[in-house]
Amino acid sequence: MRDELRMQIDGVQGELRAALQSQRWDEVRLRHARLLDLVDMASRHGIDVSGWVDQPLLHDAGEDR
C-alpha cells in the first residue's frame, strides 16, 4: 500500500503543478482535493507522507482563484 500511495501522491502533485502552471482552476481544485484525500488516507493507515508531499503545494494550491 505504501508504494502505491507514494506513486499516486507523486502523480497527483505533478498534475496539480501542471494545472497551476496552465491556470486551469477547476482542475487545480480537483487535483488539490485528491491530494488531500490521499494524505488523509495515509494518515488513517499510519503512514507518514510529510517527506513526500510538497507542503506549499498542499496548503497554497487550495486557495480560491
Side-chain angles (χ1 to χ4, degrees), residues 6-8 11 18-19 24 26-27 29 34 36 40 43 46 50 53-54 56 61 63-65:
R6 174 98 191 236
M7 288 176 25
Q8 288 187 36
R24 297 185 315 259
D26 288 340
E27 189 172 339
R29 284 188 284 280
R34 178 64 179 145
L36 290 174
D40 183 57
S43 177
S50 60
V53 176
D54 180 338
E63 295 177 0
D64 284 338
R65 303 219 191 285

Side-chain angles (χ1 to χ4, degrees), residues 1 5 12 15 17 23 27 30-31 45 53 61:
M1 173 177 206
L5 193 56
V12 169
E15 293 167 351
R17 284 184 189 100
Q23 298 182 352
E27 189 172 339
L30 289 173
R31 300 297 176 228
H45 290 280
V53 176

